[in-house]
Amino acid sequence: MTKEKCESFSFAFPVMHGTMGPSVLDQRRLAQETGMFTFDPGFGSTAACESKITFIDGEKGILLHRGYPIEQLALHTDYTETAYLLLYGELPTKEQYDVFCEDMASQRLLNEQIRNFFNGFRRDAHPMAILCGTVAALSAFYSDVLQTKPCHHDLSARRLIAKVPTIAACAYKYTIGEPFIYPDETLPFSENLLYMLFSRPGRPYKADPVLARALDRILILHADHEQNASTSAVRLVGSTGSNPFACISAGIAALWGPSHGGANEAVLAMFDQIGSRENIPAFLERVKNKESGVRLMGFGHRVYRNFDPRAKLLQATYHEVIDTLGLKRDPCLDLAMELERIAIEDDYFIQRKLYPNVDFYSGLILKALGIPTSMFTAIFAIARTAGWVSHWIEMISNPTMRIARPRQLYTGKIQRDVLPMEER
Ligand code: ACO
């Protein structure tokens, strides 16, 4: 690859303004008029779409869903209300809420044949592997909506938000060898999730409301986050007209990576690896020396360059949970707080604007709730399904939507001829 400074380039970019946030240069006619593309791997300077769902100001630590601050949603709504807001643009009235809850609860059950799929997985399969495959396989059961007609969008969205928790809970039960627990339609969303995870035949389970509320808060805080990697994956796959189950399965696959949703699991693995407070400085030295594969997990964010508002809310929730459970402080928490204290005062992290993100604390809460580490990313996927389906509907309903087809800077061999094998 060669680089040169372009002196003579001239193109009048129309400028587009949103309702909040930076304006964008409209470069849709750039290639046609100049014969050149822009180069932005990782999309750091590229707005890939227009959206009305979520707004983030990373410098100020602001996160709004449909205009509402995340702090208010976390304190004054439940996950089902937030999902309704993401999907339909407004918070529900009492009547709308009741109808939505009832309809969603009735969609929780899986087709009985889906149980057979689980037997095809190894018992030690990661729940995310099972989730990816089984969510994609839902398309084999709902052939009525595969054409993605507008009248089917809402039904597909509701089916996905309602069934992903059931699949995730079955994946967990399968890996620990316990019988599947059918969803209870009478329970609110998070209580039902805890019930499916922790109930056993012969050992009824009633979730503590404070713990259900803590889980619900985690779900609200993870419900959407504008054009992150997994949402962009959903939009990219959806732009081909692929069915909603395949699209959400793509989102789950993207979420699984440790740079994205897999970070909550990686954070706890990192705490284990560090072991105790005295090992923190040595660990941070390895991070700062960029030793291969060593990052401060749960720190840094492409968009937040000051603080992640979700991390602050989770710190408070953690204390509510341990007080309710009467648990002693998890030694991991002391380690986490000390690690955070040292890192945010360290020049390496200050200069790069690296602060704790949502995953730094969410794993500690999930652990206190008794949820095993291997299920952390699956819980994130359950929450993010509301965001994914909202973005999928927004995208597919846009009449100007085009298939996502990025271009490239080619740096490979120039054209050459194939030689007979004996001459190569
Ligand atoms: N630990 C150490 N150094 C870091 C970290 C980190 N966690 N994050 C970024 N950096 C450094 C990079 O090495 C780079 O340094 P340099 O300028 O000397 O080359 C600089 O900060 C910029 O980093 P990028 O990788 O360019 O930042 P990017 O925006 O691409 O990455 C990401 C964001 C992937 C979240 C990154 O910060 C990271 O890997 N964090 C740890 C994983 C994590 O917690 N992910 C969860 C994100 S939140 C979520 O998905 C819900």
Side-chain angles (χ1 to χ4, degrees):
M1 182 181 59
T2 56
K3 256 187 179 177
E4 67 186 70
K5 201 158 183 188
C6 182
E7 303 287 356
S8 60
F9 181 80
S10 135
F11 179 77
F13 288 101
V15 178
M16 296 170 76
H17 306 285
T19 48
M20 294 175 81
S23 298
V24 302
L25 298 176
D26 179 354
Q27 53 171 354
R28 279 173 292 184
R29 296 190 60 78
L30 179 74
Q32 212 173 335
E33 292 188 13
T34 68
M36 281 205 270
F37 302 130
T38 53
F39 185 63
D40 185 21
F43 306 116
S45 299
T46 298
C49 65
E50 184 190 326
S51 181
K52 294 181 167 54
I53 301 174
T54 290
F55 172 79
I56 303 174
D57 182 330
E59 293 297 331
K60 298 192 182 127
I62 293 173
L63 168 58
L64 309 177
H65 292 322
R66 304 284 192 183
Y68 293 108
I70 190 66
E71 292 83 354
Q72 292 182 28
L73 292 171
L75 294 177
H76 305 306
T77 72
D78 65 17
Y79 175 72
T80 311
E81 276 174 277
T82 299
Y84 186 101
L85 173 71
L86 290 169
L87 267 176
Y88 306 116
E90 295 296 340
L91 283 166
T93 61
K94 172 81 175 80
E95 202 184 352
Q96 289 167 332
Y97 175 76
D98 290 344
V99 172
F100 187 60
C101 285
E102 197 180 327
D103 180 58
M104 296 282 280
S106 71
Q107 302 279 358
R108 286 176 187 161
L109 206 59
L110 303 176
N111 184 303
E112 195 60 10
Q113 230 173 298
I114 292 177
R115 292 172 66 97
N116 300 332
F117 291 174
F118 290 89
N119 295 329
F121 291 102
R122 281 171 55 128
R123 287 275 174 194
D124 60 358
H126 194 286
M128 285 296 279
I130 301 181
L131 198 57
C132 260
T134 313
V135 169
L138 286 178
S139 36
F141 288 82
Y142 300 107
S143 50
D144 54 330
V145 298
L146 295 191
Q147 301 308 315
T148 67
K149 290 191 189 135
C151 58
H152 295 146
H153 296 170
D154 191 42
L155 176 60
S156 300
R158 290 179 184 217
R159 277 179 176 154
L160 277 155
I161 298 171
K163 291 183 200 302
V164 167
T166 314
I167 298 173
C170 289
Y172 170 57
K173 288 294 194 186
Y174 179 76
T175 56
I176 58 170
E178 288 188 5
F180 298 147
I181 300 296
Y182 289 93
D184 183 337
E185 288 188 25
T186 65
L187 294 176
F189 192 92
S190 294
E191 274 181 54
N192 173 58
L193 177 55
L194 288 169
Y195 166 76
M196 291 190 295
L197 289 171
F198 297 123
S199 184
R200 274 202 228 158
R203 194 185 69 181
Y205 174 88
K206 171 91 185 83
D208 183 309
V210 177
L211 304 188
R213 180 73 198 135
L215 178 60
D216 211 67
R217 191 166 289 170
I218 290 186
L219 298 182
I220 295 170
L221 296 179
H222 287 83
D224 191 44
H225 214 229
E226 53 118 301
Q227 311 310 323
N228 54 84
S230 57
T231 303
S232 299
V234 169
R235 280 185 178 264
L236 193 133
V237 176
S239 78
T240 69
S242 205
N243 75 72
F245 307 104
C247 295
I248 301 311
S249 173
I252 294 170
L255 186 77
W256 194 0
S259 295
H260 190 10
N264 52 15
E265 196 175 329
V267 167
L268 280 214
M270 176 186 76
F271 291 155
D272 277 351
Q273 186 197 344
I274 298 173
S276 59
R277 294 162 71 114
E278 10 1 309
N279 299 332
I280 293 175
F283 176 76
L284 288 180
E285 277 315 300
R286 293 177 62 205
V287 170
K288 292 191 283 183
N289 291 336
K290 300 189 191 249
E291 235 177 75
S292 161
V294 187
R295 276 205 163 191
L296 181 50
M297 300 311 286
F299 254 68
H301 197 279
R302 172 62 62 80
V303 181
Y304 294 120
R305 295 298 183 187
N306 188 333
F307 68 92
D308 179 340
R310 303 166 302 171
K312 283 197 163 176
L313 287 159
L314 285 182
Q315 233 179 343
T317 305
Y318 177 77
H319 289 287
E320 278 171 34
V321 169
I322 52 169
D323 287 349
T324 304
L325 290 172
L327 288 178
K328 279 212 302 244
R329 274 160 71 105
D330 185 332
C332 270
L333 179 69
D334 290 330
L335 189 73
M337 289 174 76
E338 183 64 0
L339 191 53
E340 178 183 351
R341 189 190 66 74
I342 298 178
I344 60 178
E345 288 171 2
D346 188 300
D347 253 10
Y348 174 95
F349 297 94
I350 295 172
Q351 274 171 17
R352 290 168 178 79
K353 299 188 173 180
L354 302 170
Y355 295 91
N357 59 48
V358 66
D359 290 320
F360 197 71
Y361 283 102
S362 65
L364 287 170
I365 301 176
L366 293 173
K367 187 176 172 219
L369 292 175
I371 294 173
T373 317
S374 63
M375 280 296 289
F376 287 5
T377 314
I379 299 287
F380 191 162
I382 291 169
R384 188 53 61 84
T385 301
W388 289 330
V389 292
S390 304
H391 282 271
W392 174 74
I393 291 182
E394 181 178 70
M395 181 211 61
I396 200 114
S397 312
N398 180 348
T400 64
M401 191 263 298
R402 299 174 76 196
I403 185 170
R405 174 51 170 97
R407 304 303 294 261
Q408 63 172 8
L409 173 65
Y410 177 70
T411 53
K413 300 279 187 207
I414 59 169
Q415 184 168 337
R416 51 188 175 156
D417 294 321
V418 175
L419 294 175
M421 196 176 275
E422 56 280 9
E423 291 175 32
R424 286 176 213 160

